[in-house]
Structure formats: C-alpha cells, structure tokens
Amino acid sequence: MKQPSAAEALAGALSAEYAAIYAYGRIGVRLTGAARDAARQAEAAHRRRRDALVVQLSTSGGTVPPDRAGYALPFPVTDRASALRLAVEVEERTAAHWRAALASTTGADRDQALAALVEYAVRATRWRKTAGVTPPTVAFPGRPT
Amino acid sequence: MAPLTGCDLFDRDDQPAPPPDPLRPMVDESLGLAAAHRASATAHPELADRLNAIAEAHTAHATELARVIGVALPSAPAAAPSTTPAADPAGALAALRALEKAGQRTATAACAAAPAERAALLGSIAAARATHQEALK
C-alpha cells in the first residue's frame, strides 16, 4: 500500500474531524448532565483540531477538503445508549485517522498526530466507562479492526 | 568490504553482533507491565477482571513488538515486578497508574524517534497506556 503524503493524511484527519463535529451535534441532544458536558467538551476539542488543520493545510499550500452539510451516521441515534455508542465510535474513528498520519509525518507534525490519537483514545475509554462497557479499553487504539 | 584473509580465523571479535533493536527493551517493558497487573489482580481479586484485561493488552503489545523486530517472545519478563502490590486496592491502582504513565512516556519517545513503518504501532501502544491510566481510576 502506498504511503500517503503528510498533506493527504492530514486532509483525511480533517475530513474525520468534520464528521466528528457533525456527529456530536446529534449525540449531545440525547445526553444530560455530566455526559452532556463531556460531549460539549469533546466537540470543542474536535473543532479546535479542525480549525488548526484548516490553517495548517492552507498555509502549506495543501488541499483543504470541504466540509459537507451532513454525514451518514453508522446507526441512528435515538436515545442515551445509542448516543454513547456513537461517541465511542466517533473517537475511535478520528483516532484512527490521526494514527494513520503518524507514518506520514515527522517531528512536530508527528507529535501533534500522536497527541490527537492519545486524547481521542482516552475519550473513547471515558465514553465506554460512562456507557458501562467492559473492558473500557482496546489493545491497539486507532488500529483498523 | 575487506577481503577475507587468514587472520579472520582469529579475528571473530571484529565482527560484532548487530546492535540490538532499539525496541527490544519495550518488549520487556510490556511483559513487565503485564506481570505487574497480574500480580495486583492476584492480590486483589475484586480488581481481577479489570487488571487482567489490561495485562492482556500489554502481552499483545509485547507479541506485536517482538514480531516487528524479529525476535521470539520471551516466555517471562526479564525481571519479576520489583515491588509487591500495595495491601489496599486504591494503593495498588495508584501504583499501576504510575507505571502506565512512565510506560506512556517511553512509548511516546519511541514513536517520535521511529521510522515510518513503526510509528503507528508505537502510537497505539502510547495511546493504550494512556487509556489504561483512565481505566485504573
């Protein structure tokens, strides 16, 4: 398999961040209390990374993939349980994109990709704990299964 | 390369073994982390489900690292866990969190220094050790 360039890998991560932000819009309204606050914080983290990626890709002359009006969710979000399940899925998927960027990057860009992978993996674990999923961890966060 | 000469018979020390793979210590570190979790699981049966799941992840890391660097997986960690588990569960969990945190630092540094084909695996191991700290809370 051909190694994507750093710009291609980061564009993939940006598309994943767009989808994550969209998904959290659907997730947040199904949650209450502390879980709702956690969803808001998670969404803010994905927005920060989206904004940073747009700047980074624009200034480096890379292609900035456009956001879309909507994204297909893997399953309908109808209640708290499905919202938490989707939150886990969103974090694992975005983690996978940043994990894929590790091989294409070096130095500060790789540090940034690893920080995102770690942060999203930890958040996926927190969502599993909130949902009562055991074990709350996976052996290889972000690795395609 | 120098041509072979008769002196080679007595000069074998001039052909040192290749340097050990920089990831070799991480195989032992992963096995050591697995052993530490198992020791605490034995000492605190009420934590066993949680800790044994994490131990399995560390064993999986050791297996994958050994495969990548082309060595056989050692059957046991190089050294037994240096400390016995704390008598109280909270203390045992805190000690394991500290080990995971140190392990995350090792994996983070290894990921930063790794060639492209190893970066994703090391990133996943760093992330896993971070999630273990969360699971041990």
Side-chain angles (χ1 to χ4, degrees):
Chain A
M1 194 172 72
K2 183 184 159 288
Q3 180 88 9
S5 70
E8 287 165 349
L10 294 178
L14 176 54
S15 293
E17 297 292 7
Y18 289 145
I21 293 161
Y22 175 84
Y24 269 111
R26 301 303 177 87
I27 291 165
V29 296
R30 299 289 178 185
L31 300 175
T32 54
R36 189 168 202 162
D37 291 344
R40 202 172 291 131
Q41 286 164 17
E43 183 177 343
H46 289 290
R47 286 184 187 278
R48 279 195 298 276
R49 283 226 164 69
R50 174 201 61 186
D51 294 347
L53 278 171
V54 167
V55 170
Q56 186 179 355
L57 285 169
S58 322
T59 52
S60 64
T63 308
V64 180
D67 198 358
R68 292 201 299 245
Y71 291 84
L73 300 178
F75 45 81
V77 178
T78 55
D79 54 10
R80 181 178 186 274
S82 52
L84 292 175
R85 203 161 76 242
L86 182 60
V88 172
E89 180 93 13
V90 163
E91 297 300 339
E92 280 292 337
R93 284 190 185 190
T94 43
H97 279 275
W98 284 105
R99 181 187 190 269
L102 289 171
S104 308
T105 51
T106 55
D109 285 346
R110 185 181 286 179
D111 294 346
Q112 165 198 286
L114 179 59
L117 165 59
V118 169
E119 181 184 332
Y120 297 162
V122 168
R123 200 169 272 124
T125 290
R126 287 198 195 124
W127 284 129
R128 288 192 193 93
K129 285 173 77 172
T130 303
V133 174
T134 56
T137 53
V138 296
F140 296 94
R143 187 167 81 171
T145 47
Chain B
M1 202 196 292
L4 289 175
T5 71
C7 292
D8 283 356
L9 182 60
F10 305 105
D11 281 351
R12 282 182 188 164
D13 287 349
D14 288 348
Q15 302 280 323
D21 193 290
L23 294 188
R24 183 67 183 78
M26 274 187 75
V27 177
D28 293 319
E29 185 188 38
S30 294
L31 292 175
L33 284 165
H37 283 279
R38 290 216 172 83
S40 287
T42 305
H44 301 287
E46 71 275 27
L47 301 176
D49 285 351
R50 212 174 353 156
L51 301 187
N52 284 328
I54 296 175
E56 277 172 32
H58 287 301
T59 306
H61 296 166
T63 304
E64 191 64 14
L65 287 164
R67 190 187 65 75
V68 165
I69 67 180
V71 300
L73 184 67
S75 56
S82 51
T83 53
T84 49
D88 63 306
L93 289 174
L96 291 172
R97 279 200 302 275
L99 288 177
E100 295 283 359
K101 196 168 184 183
Q104 184 188 345
R105 280 196 294 271
T106 311
T108 299
C111 179
E117 67 276 11
R118 293 177 169 188
L121 170 62
L122 294 166
S124 274
I125 292 175
R129 291 172 175 180
T131 64
H132 296 164
Q133 292 163 58
E134 192 67 28
L136 292 164
K137 278 180 183 166

